[in-house]
Amino acid sequence: MPLRRIWWPAAAFILAQCIAPLPMALAQEAWSERAIVQHTDRHEYSGELDAEVLRALVERGERLFTAKFTDRDGAGRPMATQAILPTKRKRHAARTFQRIAGLDANACSSCHNDPIAGGAGHFTVNAFVAEGFTFPDLDTTDQQFSNERNTNHLMGSGLVELLAREMTSQLHMQRHEALNKARSSGAPVEARLSAKGVGFGRLTAYPDGTVDPAAIDGVDPDLVIRPFGQKGVMTSLRQFTINALNHHHGMQAVERFGARWTDDADFDEDGVETEISDGDVSALVAWQATRKPPVRSEPETSAWIEAAARGSELFDQYRCSSCHIRALPLSSVQFSDPGPHDMAGTLRSHEAGEASVYDLALLDWLAGLERDENGDYLVPLFADLKRHNMTDLQVSALGNELLSQRFIERNVFQTAELWGVGSTAPYGHRGDMTTLDEVIRAHGGEARQSRDAYVEANDGDRSAMIAFLKTLVIEE
């Protein structure tokens, strides 16, 4: 049975959650003020999942994504900070909710909601993020200590993570081959790095097994593509989810904040243990990984069709597609969770026992993707999953942050994915640009040549470019 016929609407999710039978230890009244009445057991969803089991896991994920967490669930972190590394506060938080460094949302869908759950967010739901590792109490909107970020959409994110995994594997293989050549030859070997047609600079391998990463470009020295976040700093949906749950909700995942890593079953000292189980995280990952990707819509009028066709030609002519690559090939649509490249603090494949594995081909929307001559799926991402310098001395609007994130230069951002861009205004990493024209004009640095070609074009051609971009939408 196609999965589109077995998803329940969100209202049914909530009703089922309220009336589903529970073990006696967890049973409570239907009106209990808790969003999570029963944690997900990850082991019930291990191994290769068929359509029915995947549906059940995704349903749990949607309940969690749309749930409004309460203090009885563990919402709030009175003695913990937003930091990625579990970090204690020096003093009890002055207030629970605030618009600086969290808590700043009741549900995941509070911010990811435009035009549907899992979508983007307006300026009003901007997040304030610090460097993210060890800074303790950065409760401030001062730009010296906090960067303001607009909410990206999550549609098609399972495909994005799979692309990143395959690209990472290709880069690692190239490094491995260079090291083998250096060892066998007894001389340094320079290797050019590329994955799915995207160049990532070069490295030099030495016979002693060391590598000079100085010329690597657009990716970390470990050659792991991190596709999530506007700076490209999150390796997986799992890592992104754990970080966001703590940052925005004070809901702390056991796999990072539990006794195994912190020697404290209630790290944030809010009186609640096991706020988010590893199975709960798996359910949230499954829901995000199975979101239908954005599409290219058919314009409603002949004038728009004609303008969009012209804009599509200009998109290539201005070399916008050199970074916003129209589609990247994906060999496998088997999604495993946990994935292969996460670090400590996120459940890893060798720690999980048997991972959850599900074939995205079970989802009816996958049949809508084109395939190339090799049988690979063409993912219409309009991006390259690479970081680029976005400013220069004349055009610097996209370099207005004062705080680096994860050691990445302040004016360097990962190429924005343009699929869905017609549905996800406002624009820019701060969400303070109201039109596509404005954000195109803000492109400097490596994008300066394309930007200048657009700016120097006539009004009709610029309008055609916008007409094309406005066809890249999230279906409602």
Side-chain angles (χ1 to χ4, degrees):
M1 181 164 57
L3 285 184
R4 68 174 180 271
R5 298 177 61 188
I6 54 180
W7 299 138
W8 294 357
F13 289 168
I14 297 170
L15 178 60
Q17 175 176 278
C18 292
I19 64 175
L22 298 174
M24 185 62 66
L26 294 175
Q28 52 190 304
E29 299 84 359
W31 55 89
S32 173
E33 295 189 292
R34 290 188 60 179
I36 304 175
V37 296
Q38 185 176 16
H39 291 290
T40 304
D41 182 351
R42 183 178 60 81
H43 298 289
E44 293 182 8
Y45 300 93
S46 61
E48 189 167 342
L49 309 188
D50 60 22
E52 183 177 357
V53 177
L54 176 58
R55 176 196 65 186
L57 184 62
V58 170
E59 287 176 354
R60 283 183 172 271
E62 182 156 352
R63 287 202 297 271
L64 289 167
F65 194 87
T66 58
K68 297 177 182 179
F69 300 115
T70 74
D71 58 2
R72 298 186 183 186
D73 298 304
R77 42 177 166 78
M79 285 302 295
T81 74
Q82 86 290 349
I84 290 174
L85 294 181
T87 306
K88 289 281 191 181
R89 289 184 178 273
K90 296 178 181 178
R91 60 193 65 84
H92 197 285
R95 58 182 64 86
T96 301
F97 282 91
Q98 54 190 355
R99 288 297 303 137
I100 43 180
L103 304 177
D104 52 17
N106 301 106
C108 304
S109 57
S110 297
C111 300
H112 295 280
N113 58 28
D114 188 19
I116 58 176
H122 297 182
F123 184 85
T124 52
V125 296
N126 278 4
F128 294 87
V129 298
E131 191 273 345
F133 283 85
T134 57
F135 289 172
D137 296 330
L138 291 179
D139 295 339
T140 175
T141 57
D142 189 323
Q143 291 185 355
Q144 296 182 78
F145 303 105
S146 183
N147 294 325
E148 188 174 2
R149 297 281 172 77
N150 194 232
T151 303
N152 289 334
H153 74 76
L154 299 170
M155 309 308 290
S157 55
L159 297 173
V160 174
E161 182 166 343
L162 289 175
L163 282 170
R165 293 181 188 182
E166 290 188 357
M167 294 172 77
T168 296
S169 295
Q170 291 178 25
L171 296 177
H172 284 181
M173 180 59 69
Q174 291 160 22
R175 179 181 60 193
H176 178 72
E177 291 173 350
L179 284 168
N180 282 345
K181 289 180 181 178
R183 290 189 188 100
S184 61
S185 68
V189 171
E190 183 177 273
R192 293 201 169 273
L193 301 168
S194 66
K196 299 189 183 295
V198 180
F200 289 93
R202 64 187 187 278
L203 59 75
T204 302
Y206 294 97
D208 63 358
T210 61
V211 171
D212 181 359
I216 292 175
D217 180 41
V219 64
D220 290 335
D222 64 1
L223 302 181
V224 173
I225 303 294
R226 295 179 164 87
F228 300 113
Q230 297 192 26
K231 301 285 275 191
V233 297
M234 300 298 173
T235 305
S236 66
L237 286 169
R238 195 169 192 98
Q239 182 190 36
F240 163 76
T241 298
I242 292 169
N243 293 346
L245 284 168
N246 176 62
H247 187 149
H248 301 300
H249 311 297
M251 294 292 291
Q252 299 194 321
V254 171
E255 63 195 77
R256 178 172 302 169
F257 295 92
R260 179 187 174 199
W261 291 107
T262 66
D263 198 31
D264 192 340
D266 181 19
F267 182 79
D268 57 3
E269 301 181 32
D270 62 0
V272 180
E273 300 178 4
T274 312
E275 297 176 1
I276 293 288
S277 71
D278 55 2
D280 295 333
V281 177
S282 295
L284 282 163
V285 168
W287 187 80
Q288 294 169 86
T290 56
R291 293 308 85 211
K292 180 181 179 180
V295 300
R296 185 172 174 182
S297 66
E298 183 68 21
E300 299 174 355
T301 65
S302 58
W304 191 349
I305 292 173
E306 182 178 346
R310 172 61 178 160
S312 180
E313 294 174 357
L314 294 171
F315 189 79
D316 293 330
Q317 182 179 318
Y318 297 162
R319 291 183 52 80
C320 302
S321 56
S322 62
C323 294
H324 295 286
I325 298 175
R326 289 174 178 266
L328 294 176
L330 179 63
S331 299
S332 172
V333 291
Q334 289 275 340
F335 191 94
S336 60
D337 176 47
H341 302 300
D342 275 316
M343 302 177 68
T346 302
L347 190 67
R348 294 169 289 182
S349 54
H350 68 275
E351 301 167 335
E354 191 173 20
S356 298
V357 180
Y358 32 97
D359 191 341
L360 298 187
L362 291 171
L363 307 170
D364 61 335
W365 53 253
L366 195 73
L369 293 186
E370 295 182 15
R371 303 180 81 159
D372 65 13
E373 63 277 7
N374 299 318
D376 292 344
Y377 290 94
L378 293 175
V379 182
L381 193 62
F382 286 88
D384 58 5
L385 301 185
K386 178 181 177 181
R387 301 185 193 122
H388 297 272
N389 177 357
M390 295 303 298
T391 71
D392 53 52
L393 291 177
Q394 291 78 36
V395 182
S396 59
L398 293 177
N400 60 358
E401 295 186 345
L402 301 179
L403 188 70
S404 66
Q405 184 182 8
R406 206 178 176 279
F407 320 116
I408 299 168
E409 293 294 331
R410 294 171 295 175
N411 60 344
V412 171
F413 289 86
Q414 184 171 266
T415 301
E417 300 161 10
L418 294 186
W419 62 352
V421 73
S423 302
T424 55
Y427 307 108
H429 55 265
R430 191 169 174 265
D432 55 358
M433 299 180 182
T434 60
T435 64
L436 287 165
D437 176 80
E438 184 179 6
V439 74
I440 293 171
R441 291 174 182 271
H443 281 54
E446 296 177 48
R448 180 64 184 271
Q449 184 178 359
S450 298
R451 175 263 186 196
D452 287 350
Y454 171 84
V455 171
E456 293 164 6
N458 60 52
D459 289 346
D461 283 350
R462 287 197 300 271
S463 176
M465 176 80 87
I466 303 304
F468 166 62
L469 294 175
K470 285 288 189 178
T471 66
L472 307 179
V473 299
I474 294 172
E475 284 189 322
E476 300 182 49

